Structure formats: C-alpha cells, structure tokens
Amino acid sequence: MPTITIPQLHAKKAAGEKFAVLTAYDATFARVASEAGIEALLIGDSLGMVLQGHNSTLPVTVTDMAYHTATVSRGNVSSLIIADLPFGGYSTTTQTLDNAATLMRAGAHAVKLEGGLWLAESIRLLTERGIPVCGHLGLTPQSVNTFGGYKVQGRQPEQARRIIEDAKAVEAAGATLLVLECVPRALGAQVSAALKIPVIGIGAGPGTDAQVLVLHDMLGLNSRPPKFVRNFMQGADGISAAIAAYHAAVLNGSFPGAEHTFE
C-alpha cells in the first residue's frame, strides 16, 4: 500500500488543500518525485511521445504500460500510482477488466481511462472488483484524430455542458479521481465545484483540486512546451529541487498562473 491513499486525496479536497501529480516512467524518477512529496505518480501513455518518440500516444500498448508501471512501482516510496489504459485497451468490458488487472498486478493503485458517459458500465465493473478508476475528460489525447489536433475543449457552451455532464456521469459510475485537460479556466473551476471527487487539472486553470504535468515538460526538455507548462528547472540546482519547487507551487497556488491558462 502507498502512504498516500485515495481517501487521503478526497480528504484534501474536502479541506480545500491542493495536491500535486507528476508523470513517471521509471524507478529512479519515481523515487525522486516521491521523495519530493508528490502525492500521486501517473504512468501516462504520454510515454509514447516522450520516451518512444512517437507523435501521439496511440502506438502505446498494454505491455508497454505494464512494464513502465512495474518499474515505477519499484522506485516509488510513498506516492499513489495511477496507470493509463492505452488506446484500444478498453473497448469492451471484458478487455477493460483484463487489462486493468494486468496494470494493477504490475503495481498500479488505480487505472485511468479517457471518456465520459459511455464508460459508465466499465467504470462500475472495475470499481466493483476493487480497481479504483481515474477518469479523463476535456482534451483526451487518444482522440486526437477526432479532435483534429491537440486543441482546447469546452469553449462552446454545448461542449462545456457535455463535459460537465460526462464528469458527473463518471463520478456516479464510481470513478474516484478525474483528470481534466486543456479546458478554459472557468470550466475547470466549474467541474471541480460540481464533483465530490478530486479533479486533477492540466491546462484547466487554478480552480481544480490538483495539478499534473508531464515530467519531461516541467524539466524543460520539450523544445515546444504547451502553454500550460512551466519550466521548473529554471532557478533550481537540480532535478530534485525542480520537482520540489513544482510540488510547493501547486500546494501554495502559485502554479498555474494566468499565463498557463486558457479563457
């Protein structure tokens, strides 16, 4: 069991306390991030881009995710571990359960799925069998071809309404956490206020309950970082200090700033 648990994250939301999430893909960075106080580590299918060199997350497999989940688990000290179910990995309820179980056996404490109401049956299936679920709405990278690129979601009233409805449906189905990506800051705050479960924002403004960034982005390794990223290596004397600075900035509310948000 991790030192940080899902009920503890729920308690933080209830108390109005922020927490920080960071991606991790190997044992060393998992240890460094966990020792820096990061409450949750996300083994994101973003590894397809930052580790494997693909131009999207779509080529990532369950085997890839299980391998990196196991390595993160070995290095983790106290953080909650969330692992992505990759593209094509949860098309049916049977497939969803089998692949989620694979990631849990590899060391995950929860699995993340991209999508809204259509996932309700799968979310109920997982939670009934002891597998905590983190939802993911807004810009869902596995749907990049549908969106026509990595674009801000929820700017139109109907689109915003649908995101809020999907968030409520995901929570009602049993999800215990929700990632909300690339939406206007006002919508990020609105979704967070509408849910009892913690909302983890990435490009969703300061009004969410937590923040998550891709490790390589916040270390300044992306030559074209997204607007919502801050390079925490600037002014830091090393990677551990940069991660600690990120953690502190999330907790004290100084990150994200206005320059990292969308209207």
Side-chain angles (χ1 to χ4, degrees):
M1 286 291 294
T3 302
I4 303 296
T5 64
I6 290 172
Q8 287 176 337
L9 298 184
H10 281 228
K12 286 182 179 295
K13 170 159 183 158
E17 299 173 2
K18 304 282 188 180
F19 63 90
V21 183
L22 189 63
T23 65
Y25 312 102
D26 63 31
T28 299
F29 279 105
R31 175 184 57 78
V32 171
S34 188
E35 289 178 344
I38 298 298
E39 282 83 4
L41 301 175
L42 171 64
I43 301 96
D45 56 5
S46 50
L47 68 87
M49 303 171 79
V50 299
L51 297 189
Q52 297 176 337
H54 299 298
N55 63 6
S56 77
T57 64
L58 303 188
V60 177
T61 66
V62 174
T63 299
D64 292 334
M65 293 305 305
Y67 170 82
H68 287 281
T69 299
T71 62
V72 166
S73 178
R74 294 183 199 114
N76 181 45
V77 177
S78 60
S79 304
L80 184 82
I81 296 175
I82 306 166
D84 275 350
L85 279 170
F87 177 75
Y90 46 103
S91 300
T92 67
T93 53
T94 300
Q95 182 190 42
T96 302
L97 179 59
D98 288 346
N99 289 336
T102 294
L103 297 186
M104 296 293 284
R105 291 189 192 102
H109 305 125
V111 298
K112 181 166 75 65
L113 299 80
E114 296 182 6
L117 177 61
W118 68 273
L119 281 174
E121 182 181 359
S122 291
I123 293 171
R124 280 192 291 268
L125 178 77
L126 295 179
T127 55
E128 287 169 357
R129 287 155 179 80
I131 300 176
V133 173
C134 177
H136 188 154
L137 292 169
L139 172 57
T140 47
Q142 293 176 16
S143 301
V144 62
N145 290 310
T146 300
F147 294 147
Y150 298 98
K151 301 177 180 180
V152 178
Q153 303 296 305
R155 279 181 165 153
Q156 302 303 317
E158 175 58 26
Q159 194 178 54
R161 183 189 63 78
R162 189 164 58 251
I163 289 173
I164 294 170
E165 289 181 352
D166 277 339
K168 291 178 178 178
V170 165
E171 179 182 56
T176 57
L177 300 164
L178 176 71
V179 168
L180 185 62
E181 181 169 355
C182 284
V183 300
R185 58 185 294 162
L187 180 58
Q190 190 175 2
V191 171
S192 299
L195 301 186
K196 294 181 180 179
I197 63 174
V199 176
I200 304 164
I202 177 168
T208 56
D209 306 299
Q211 300 292 327
V212 61
L213 284 178
V214 171
L215 172 71
H216 295 62
D217 287 348
M218 58 81 64
L219 293 179
L221 299 177
N222 188 338
S223 60
R224 299 180 63 184
K227 177 181 179 179
F228 54 76
V229 171
R230 174 178 158 190
N231 180 0
F232 284 89
M233 279 300 294
Q234 293 179 341
D237 61 5
I239 289 174
S240 296
I243 295 175
Y246 163 66
H247 182 251
V250 172
L251 266 59
N252 67 31
S254 61
F255 176 81
E259 68 272 24
H260 307 117
T261 66
F262 303 101
E263 298 300 331

PDB file of all heavy atoms in Angstrom, residues 1-33:
ATOM      1  N   MET A   1       0.836  -1.204   0.000  1.00  0.00           N
ATOM      2  CA  MET A   1       0.000   0.000   0.000  1.00  0.00           C
ATOM      3  C   MET A   1       0.872   1.257   0.000  1.00  0.00           C
ATOM      4  O   MET A   1       1.884   1.306   0.684  1.00  0.00           O
ATOM      5  CB  MET A   1      -0.888   0.011   1.243  1.00  0.00           C
ATOM      6  CG  MET A   1      -2.031  -0.966   1.200  1.00  0.00           C
ATOM      7  SD  MET A   1      -3.279  -0.512  -0.022  1.00  0.00           S
ATOM      8  CE  MET A   1      -3.889   1.010   0.683  1.00  0.00           C
ATOM      9  N   PRO A   2       0.460   2.265  -0.752  1.00  0.00           N
ATOM     10  CA  PRO A   2       1.203   3.530  -0.713  1.00  0.00           C
ATOM     11  C   PRO A   2       0.898   4.280   0.579  1.00  0.00           C
ATOM     12  O   PRO A   2      -0.097   4.014   1.248  1.00  0.00           O
ATOM     13  CB  PRO A   2       0.644   4.288  -1.915  1.00  0.00           C
ATOM     14  CG  PRO A   2      -0.765   3.786  -2.024  1.00  0.00           C
ATOM     15  CD  PRO A   2      -0.696   2.318  -1.634  1.00  0.00           C
ATOM     16  N   THR A   3       1.761   5.221   0.938  1.00  0.00           N
ATOM     17  CA  THR A   3       1.476   6.066   2.091  1.00  0.00           C
ATOM     18  C   THR A   3       0.314   6.994   1.778  1.00  0.00           C
ATOM     19  O   THR A   3      -0.550   7.253   2.614  1.00  0.00           O
ATOM     20  CB  THR A   3       2.724   6.882   2.477  1.00  0.00           C
ATOM     21  OG1 THR A   3       3.796   5.985   2.767  1.00  0.00           O
ATOM     22  CG2 THR A   3       2.453   7.750   3.686  1.00  0.00           C
ATOM     23  N   ILE A   4       0.302   7.510   0.560  1.00  0.00           N
ATOM     24  CA  ILE A   4      -0.791   8.369   0.108  1.00  0.00           C
ATOM     25  C   ILE A   4      -1.882   7.485  -0.492  1.00  0.00           C
ATOM     26  O   ILE A   4      -1.613   6.679  -1.385  1.00  0.00           O
ATOM     27  CB  ILE A   4      -0.309   9.384  -0.937  1.00  0.00           C
ATOM     28  CG1 ILE A   4       0.829  10.238  -0.374  1.00  0.00           C
ATOM     29  CG2 ILE A   4      -1.459  10.263  -1.402  1.00  0.00           C
ATOM     30  CD1 ILE A   4       0.434  11.112   0.794  1.00  0.00           C
ATOM     31  N   THR A   5      -3.101   7.644  -0.022  1.00  0.00           N
ATOM     32  CA  THR A   5      -4.208   6.825  -0.486  1.00  0.00           C
ATOM     33  C   THR A   5      -5.291   7.697  -1.107  1.00  0.00           C
ATOM     34  O   THR A   5      -5.323   8.914  -0.909  1.00  0.00           O
ATOM     35  CB  THR A   5      -4.825   6.019   0.669  1.00  0.00           C
ATOM     36  OG1 THR A   5      -5.386   6.927   1.616  1.00  0.00           O
ATOM     37  CG2 THR A   5      -3.774   5.148   1.355  1.00  0.00           C
ATOM     38  N   ILE A   6      -6.193   7.070  -1.835  1.00  0.00           N
ATOM     39  CA  ILE A   6      -7.299   7.808  -2.445  1.00  0.00           C
ATOM     40  C   ILE A   6      -8.172   8.498  -1.391  1.00  0.00           C
ATOM     41  O   ILE A   6      -8.522   9.670  -1.561  1.00  0.00           O
ATOM     42  CB  ILE A   6      -8.126   6.872  -3.357  1.00  0.00           C
ATOM     43  CG1 ILE A   6      -7.292   6.514  -4.596  1.00  0.00           C
ATOM     44  CG2 ILE A   6      -9.435   7.526  -3.770  1.00  0.00           C
ATOM     45  CD1 ILE A   6      -7.896   5.447  -5.478  1.00  0.00           C
ATOM     46  N   PRO A   7      -8.533   7.834  -0.289  1.00  0.00           N
ATOM     47  CA  PRO A   7      -9.296   8.553   0.738  1.00  0.00           C
ATOM     48  C   PRO A   7      -8.566   9.797   1.255  1.00  0.00           C
ATOM     49  O   PRO A   7      -9.205  10.806   1.577  1.00  0.00           O
ATOM     50  CB  PRO A   7      -9.478   7.504   1.843  1.00  0.00           C
ATOM     51  CG  PRO A   7      -9.485   6.201   1.107  1.00  0.00           C
ATOM     52  CD  PRO A   7      -8.455   6.379   0.025  1.00  0.00           C
ATOM     53  N   GLN A   8      -7.249   9.747   1.339  1.00  0.00           N
ATOM     54  CA  GLN A   8      -6.499  10.921   1.779  1.00  0.00           C
ATOM     55  C   GLN A   8      -6.609  12.054   0.761  1.00  0.00           C
ATOM     56  O   GLN A   8      -6.702  13.227   1.138  1.00  0.00           O
ATOM     57  CB  GLN A   8      -5.038  10.559   2.016  1.00  0.00           C
ATOM     58  CG  GLN A   8      -4.811   9.734   3.272  1.00  0.00           C
ATOM     59  CD  GLN A   8      -3.367   9.297   3.438  1.00  0.00           C
ATOM     60  OE1 GLN A   8      -2.619   9.233   2.466  1.00  0.00           O
ATOM     61  NE2 GLN A   8      -2.986   8.985   4.660  1.00  0.00           N
ATOM     62  N   LEU A   9      -6.614  11.719  -0.518  1.00  0.00           N
ATOM     63  CA  LEU A   9      -6.775  12.749  -1.547  1.00  0.00           C
ATOM     64  C   LEU A   9      -8.177  13.339  -1.496  1.00  0.00           C
ATOM     65  O   LEU A   9      -8.368  14.536  -1.704  1.00  0.00           O
ATOM     66  CB  LEU A   9      -6.464  12.171  -2.931  1.00  0.00           C
ATOM     67  CG  LEU A   9      -5.037  11.645  -3.135  1.00  0.00           C
ATOM     68  CD1 LEU A   9      -4.847  11.185  -4.575  1.00  0.00           C
ATOM     69  CD2 LEU A   9      -3.996  12.695  -2.766  1.00  0.00           C
ATOM     70  N   HIS A  10      -9.158  12.506  -1.217  1.00  0.00           N
ATOM     71  CA  HIS A  10     -10.523  13.005  -1.047  1.00  0.00           C
ATOM     72  C   HIS A  10     -10.605  13.956   0.154  1.00  0.00           C
ATOM     73  O   HIS A  10     -11.303  14.971   0.101  1.00  0.00           O
ATOM     74  CB  HIS A  10     -11.493  11.836  -0.868  1.00  0.00           C
ATOM     75  CG  HIS A  10     -11.849  11.152  -2.151  1.00  0.00           C
ATOM     76  ND1 HIS A  10     -13.142  10.853  -2.511  1.00  0.00           N
ATOM     77  CD2 HIS A  10     -11.080  10.713  -3.177  1.00  0.00           C
ATOM     78  CE1 HIS A  10     -13.153  10.251  -3.687  1.00  0.00           C
ATOM     79  NE2 HIS A  10     -11.904  10.155  -4.110  1.00  0.00           N
ATOM     80  N   ALA A  11      -9.890  13.604   1.222  1.00  0.00           N
ATOM     81  CA  ALA A  11      -9.888  14.453   2.409  1.00  0.00           C
ATOM     82  C   ALA A  11      -9.243  15.801   2.117  1.00  0.00           C
ATOM     83  O   ALA A  11      -9.674  16.837   2.636  1.00  0.00           O
ATOM     84  CB  ALA A  11      -9.162  13.750   3.556  1.00  0.00           C
ATOM     85  N   LYS A  12      -8.215  15.799   1.264  1.00  0.00           N
ATOM     86  CA  LYS A  12      -7.579  17.059   0.879  1.00  0.00           C
ATOM     87  C   LYS A  12      -8.573  17.952   0.146  1.00  0.00           C
ATOM     88  O   LYS A  12      -8.643  19.163   0.385  1.00  0.00           O
ATOM     89  CB  LYS A  12      -6.344  16.782   0.017  1.00  0.00           C
ATOM     90  CG  LYS A  12      -5.144  16.256   0.790  1.00  0.00           C
ATOM     91  CD  LYS A  12      -3.949  16.054  -0.114  1.00  0.00           C
ATOM     92  CE  LYS A  12      -2.739  15.560   0.667  1.00  0.00           C
ATOM     93  NZ  LYS A  12      -2.252  16.569   1.652  1.00  0.00           N
ATOM     94  N   LYS A  13      -9.340  17.365  -0.772  1.00  0.00           N
ATOM     95  CA  LYS A  13     -10.340  18.169  -1.470  1.00  0.00           C
ATOM     96  C   LYS A  13     -11.353  18.740  -0.487  1.00  0.00           C
ATOM     97  O   LYS A  13     -11.697  19.925  -0.552  1.00  0.00           O
ATOM     98  CB  LYS A  13     -11.063  17.345  -2.541  1.00  0.00           C
ATOM     99  CG  LYS A  13     -12.286  18.084  -3.107  1.00  0.00           C
ATOM    100  CD  LYS A  13     -12.726  17.584  -4.439  1.00  0.00           C
ATOM    101  CE  LYS A  13     -13.902  18.430  -4.940  1.00  0.00           C
ATOM    102  NZ  LYS A  13     -14.082  18.396  -6.375  1.00  0.00           N
ATOM    103  N   ALA A  14     -11.832  17.916   0.417  1.00  0.00           N
ATOM    104  CA  ALA A  14     -12.830  18.366   1.384  1.00  0.00           C
ATOM    105  C   ALA A  14     -12.298  19.501   2.254  1.00  0.00           C
ATOM    106  O   ALA A  14     -13.052  20.392   2.662  1.00  0.00           O
ATOM    107  CB  ALA A  14     -13.272  17.195   2.256  1.00  0.00           C
ATOM    108  N   ALA A  15     -10.983  19.483   2.509  1.00  0.00           N
ATOM    109  CA  ALA A  15     -10.363  20.505   3.347  1.00  0.00           C
ATOM    110  C   ALA A  15      -9.890  21.711   2.541  1.00  0.00           C
ATOM    111  O   ALA A  15      -9.365  22.664   3.109  1.00  0.00           O
ATOM    112  CB  ALA A  15      -9.187  19.899   4.109  1.00  0.00           C
ATOM    113  N   GLY A  16     -10.055  21.652   1.219  1.00  0.00           N
ATOM    114  CA  GLY A  16      -9.607  22.744   0.374  1.00  0.00           C
ATOM    115  C   GLY A  16      -8.109  22.790   0.186  1.00  0.00           C
ATOM    116  O   GLY A  16      -7.531  23.844  -0.129  1.00  0.00           O
ATOM    117  N   GLU A  17      -7.445  21.639   0.350  1.00  0.00           N
ATOM    118  CA  GLU A  17      -5.997  21.558   0.205  1.00  0.00           C
ATOM    119  C   GLU A  17      -5.635  21.000  -1.177  1.00  0.00           C
ATOM    120  O   GLU A  17      -6.205  20.001  -1.618  1.00  0.00           O
ATOM    121  CB  GLU A  17      -5.396  20.655   1.284  1.00  0.00           C
ATOM    122  CG  GLU A  17      -5.638  21.137   2.703  1.00  0.00           C
ATOM    123  CD  GLU A  17      -5.169  20.133   3.737  1.00  0.00           C
ATOM    124  OE1 GLU A  17      -4.625  19.076   3.349  1.00  0.00           O
ATOM    125  OE2 GLU A  17      -5.345  20.404   4.937  1.00  0.00           O
ATOM    126  N   LYS A  18      -4.688  21.630  -1.853  1.00  0.00           N
ATOM    127  CA  LYS A  18      -4.237  21.175  -3.162  1.00  0.00           C
ATOM    128  C   LYS A  18      -3.278  19.991  -3.018  1.00  0.00           C
ATOM    129  O   LYS A  18      -2.666  19.783  -1.965  1.00  0.00           O
ATOM    130  CB  LYS A  18      -3.516  22.301  -3.901  1.00  0.00           C
ATOM    131  CG  LYS A  18      -4.321  23.586  -4.063  1.00  0.00           C
ATOM    132  CD  LYS A  18      -5.341  23.471  -5.160  1.00  0.00           C
ATOM    133  CE  LYS A  18      -6.003  24.819  -5.429  1.00  0.00           C
ATOM    134  NZ  LYS A  18      -7.017  24.743  -6.503  1.00  0.00           N
ATOM    135  N   PHE A  19      -3.133  19.232  -4.111  1.00  0.00           N
ATOM    136  CA  PHE A  19      -2.076  18.224  -4.170  1.00  0.00           C
ATOM    137  C   PHE A  19      -1.521  18.156  -5.586  1.00  0.00           C
ATOM    138  O   PHE A  19      -2.125  18.664  -6.533  1.00  0.00           O
ATOM    139  CB  PHE A  19      -2.548  16.853  -3.672  1.00  0.00           C
ATOM    140  CG  PHE A  19      -3.652  16.212  -4.470  1.00  0.00           C
ATOM    141  CD1 PHE A  19      -3.372  15.374  -5.536  1.00  0.00           C
ATOM    142  CD2 PHE A  19      -4.988  16.425  -4.128  1.00  0.00           C
ATOM    143  CE1 PHE A  19      -4.394  14.767  -6.257  1.00  0.00           C
ATOM    144  CE2 PHE A  19      -6.016  15.821  -4.841  1.00  0.00           C
ATOM    145  CZ  PHE A  19      -5.720  14.995  -5.909  1.00  0.00           C
ATOM    146  N   ALA A  20      -0.349  17.544  -5.711  1.00  0.00           N
ATOM    147  CA  ALA A  20       0.375  17.541  -6.984  1.00  0.00           C
ATOM    148  C   ALA A  20       0.545  16.131  -7.524  1.00  0.00           C
ATOM    149  O   ALA A  20       0.797  15.183  -6.775  1.00  0.00           O
ATOM    150  CB  ALA A  20       1.750  18.195  -6.820  1.00  0.00           C
ATOM    151  N   VAL A  21       0.413  16.022  -8.845  1.00  0.00           N
ATOM    152  CA  VAL A  21       0.602  14.765  -9.561  1.00  0.00           C
ATOM    153  C   VAL A  21       1.663  15.006 -10.630  1.00  0.00           C
ATOM    154  O   VAL A  21       1.739  16.095 -11.214  1.00  0.00           O
ATOM    155  CB  VAL A  21      -0.715  14.292 -10.216  1.00  0.00           C
ATOM    156  CG1 VAL A  21      -0.541  12.935 -10.892  1.00  0.00           C
ATOM    157  CG2 VAL A  21      -1.844  14.252  -9.190  1.00  0.00           C
ATOM    158  N   LEU A  22       2.495  14.014 -10.886  1.00  0.00           N
ATOM    159  CA  LEU A  22       3.545  14.134 -11.891  1.00  0.00           C
ATOM    160  C   LEU A  22       3.678  12.802 -12.609  1.00  0.00           C
ATOM    161  O   LEU A  22       3.547  11.746 -11.987  1.00  0.00           O
ATOM    162  CB  LEU A  22       4.875  14.502 -11.223  1.00  0.00           C
ATOM    163  CG  LEU A  22       6.047  14.888 -12.116  1.00  0.00           C
ATOM    164  CD1 LEU A  22       5.751  16.149 -12.918  1.00  0.00           C
ATOM    165  CD2 LEU A  22       7.308  15.077 -11.284  1.00  0.00           C
ATOM    166  N   THR A  23       3.945  12.859 -13.917  1.00  0.00           N
ATOM    167  CA  THR A  23       4.170  11.594 -14.617  1.00  0.00           C
ATOM    168  C   THR A  23       5.523  11.014 -14.210  1.00  0.00           C
ATOM    169  O   THR A  23       6.452  11.737 -13.855  1.00  0.00           O
ATOM    170  CB  THR A  23       4.142  11.751 -16.152  1.00  0.00           C
ATOM    171  OG1 THR A  23       5.238  12.564 -16.574  1.00  0.00           O
ATOM    172  CG2 THR A  23       2.830  12.336 -16.632  1.00  0.00           C
ATOM    173  N   ALA A  24       5.607   9.710 -14.263  1.00  0.00           N
ATOM    174  CA  ALA A  24       6.862   8.995 -14.019  1.00  0.00           C
ATOM    175  C   ALA A  24       6.841   7.739 -14.871  1.00  0.00           C
ATOM    176  O   ALA A  24       5.770   7.169 -15.122  1.00  0.00           O
ATOM    177  CB  ALA A  24       7.017   8.639 -12.545  1.00  0.00           C
ATOM    178  N   TYR A  25       8.027   7.340 -15.328  1.00  0.00           N
ATOM    179  CA  TYR A  25       8.086   6.197 -16.240  1.00  0.00           C
ATOM    180  C   TYR A  25       9.157   5.177 -15.849  1.00  0.00           C
ATOM    181  O   TYR A  25       9.295   4.142 -16.502  1.00  0.00           O
ATOM    182  CB  TYR A  25       8.361   6.676 -17.667  1.00  0.00           C
ATOM    183  CG  TYR A  25       7.488   7.829 -18.104  1.00  0.00           C
ATOM    184  CD1 TYR A  25       7.979   9.130 -18.133  1.00  0.00           C
ATOM    185  CD2 TYR A  25       6.154   7.622 -18.474  1.00  0.00           C
ATOM    186  CE1 TYR A  25       7.178  10.187 -18.532  1.00  0.00           C
ATOM    187  CE2 TYR A  25       5.350   8.678 -18.862  1.00  0.00           C
ATOM    188  CZ  TYR A  25       5.865   9.964 -18.885  1.00  0.00           C
ATOM    189  OH  TYR A  25       5.068  11.011 -19.269  1.00  0.00           O
ATOM    190  N   ASP A  26       9.945   5.481 -14.803  1.00  0.00           N
ATOM    191  CA  ASP A  26      10.996   4.544 -14.392  1.00  0.00           C
ATOM    192  C   ASP A  26      11.224   4.638 -12.892  1.00  0.00           C
ATOM    193  O   ASP A  26      10.665   5.507 -12.211  1.00  0.00           O
ATOM    194  CB  ASP A  26      12.295   4.773 -15.165  1.00  0.00           C
ATOM    195  CG  ASP A  26      12.921   6.141 -14.924  1.00  0.00           C
ATOM    196  OD1 ASP A  26      12.767   6.693 -13.814  1.00  0.00           O
ATOM    197  OD2 ASP A  26      13.571   6.660 -15.845  1.00  0.00           O
ATOM    198  N   ALA A  27      12.047   3.745 -12.373  1.00  0.00           N
ATOM    199  CA  ALA A  27      12.241   3.643 -10.932  1.00  0.00           C
ATOM    200  C   ALA A  27      12.951   4.861 -10.356  1.00  0.00           C
ATOM    201  O   ALA A  27      12.593   5.349  -9.273  1.00  0.00           O
ATOM    202  CB  ALA A  27      13.031   2.373 -10.608  1.00  0.00           C
ATOM    203  N   THR A  28      13.967   5.362 -11.047  1.00  0.00           N
ATOM    204  CA  THR A  28      14.753   6.472 -10.498  1.00  0.00           C
ATOM    205  C   THR A  28      13.924   7.729 -10.354  1.00  0.00           C
ATOM    206  O   THR A  28      13.894   8.363  -9.286  1.00  0.00           O
ATOM    207  CB  THR A  28      15.977   6.754 -11.383  1.00  0.00           C
ATOM    208  OG1 THR A  28      16.810   5.583 -11.417  1.00  0.00           O
ATOM    209  CG2 THR A  28      16.776   7.921 -10.843  1.00  0.00           C
ATOM    210  N   PHE A  29      13.227   8.133 -11.413  1.00  0.00           N
ATOM    211  CA  PHE A  29      12.424   9.341 -11.337  1.00  0.00           C
ATOM    212  C   PHE A  29      11.228   9.157 -10.400  1.00  0.00           C
ATOM    213  O   PHE A  29      10.782  10.112  -9.761  1.00  0.00           O
ATOM    214  CB  PHE A  29      11.968   9.784 -12.721  1.00  0.00           C
ATOM    215  CG  PHE A  29      13.017  10.555 -13.472  1.00  0.00           C
ATOM    216  CD1 PHE A  29      13.727   9.972 -14.509  1.00  0.00           C
ATOM    217  CD2 PHE A  29      13.298  11.872 -13.127  1.00  0.00           C
ATOM    218  CE1 PHE A  29      14.697  10.679 -15.191  1.00  0.00           C
ATOM    219  CE2 PHE A  29      14.261  12.591 -13.805  1.00  0.00           C
ATOM    220  CZ  PHE A  29      14.974  12.003 -14.840  1.00  0.00           C
ATOM    221  N   ALA A  30      10.721   7.936 -10.315  1.00  0.00           N
ATOM    222  CA  ALA A  30       9.637   7.678  -9.361  1.00  0.00           C
ATOM    223  C   ALA A  30      10.117   7.924  -7.938  1.00  0.00           C
ATOM    224  O   ALA A  30       9.423   8.559  -7.131  1.00  0.00           O
ATOM    225  CB  ALA A  30       9.133   6.248  -9.507  1.00  0.00           C
ATOM    226  N   ARG A  31      11.311   7.438  -7.632  1.00  0.00           N
ATOM    227  CA  ARG A  31      11.854   7.649  -6.290  1.00  0.00           C
ATOM    228  C   ARG A  31      12.081   9.130  -6.009  1.00  0.00           C
ATOM    229  O   ARG A  31      11.697   9.643  -4.945  1.00  0.00           O
ATOM    230  CB  ARG A  31      13.168   6.884  -6.129  1.00  0.00           C
ATOM    231  CG  ARG A  31      13.857   7.151  -4.782  1.00  0.00           C
ATOM    232  CD  ARG A  31      15.205   6.442  -4.692  1.00  0.00           C
ATOM    233  NE  ARG A  31      16.093   6.818  -5.779  1.00  0.00           N
ATOM    234  CZ  ARG A  31      16.788   7.963  -5.835  1.00  0.00           C
ATOM    235  NH1 ARG A  31      16.668   8.862  -4.867  1.00  0.00           N
ATOM    236  NH2 ARG A  31      17.588   8.199  -6.854  1.00  0.00           N
ATOM    237  N   VAL A  32      12.684   9.829  -6.964  1.00  0.00           N
ATOM    238  CA  VAL A  32      12.972  11.257  -6.774  1.00  0.00           C
ATOM    239  C   VAL A  32      11.681  12.046  -6.576  1.00  0.00           C
ATOM    240  O   VAL A  32      11.580  12.898  -5.674  1.00  0.00           O
ATOM    241  CB  VAL A  32      13.770  11.806  -7.968  1.00  0.00           C
ATOM    242  CG1 VAL A  32      13.884  13.325  -7.900  1.00  0.00           C
ATOM    243  CG2 VAL A  32      15.162  11.183  -8.007  1.00  0.00           C
ATOM    244  N   ALA A  33      10.679  11.786  -7.400  1.00  0.00           N
ATOM    245  CA  ALA A  33       9.415  12.514  -7.298  1.00  0.00           C
ATOM    246  C   ALA A  33       8.699  12.193  -6.000  1.00  0.00           C
ATOM    247  O   ALA A  33       8.152  13.085  -5.335  1.00  0.00           O
ATOM    248  CB  ALA A  33       8.531  12.195  -8.493  1.00  0.00           C
TER     249      ALA A  33
END
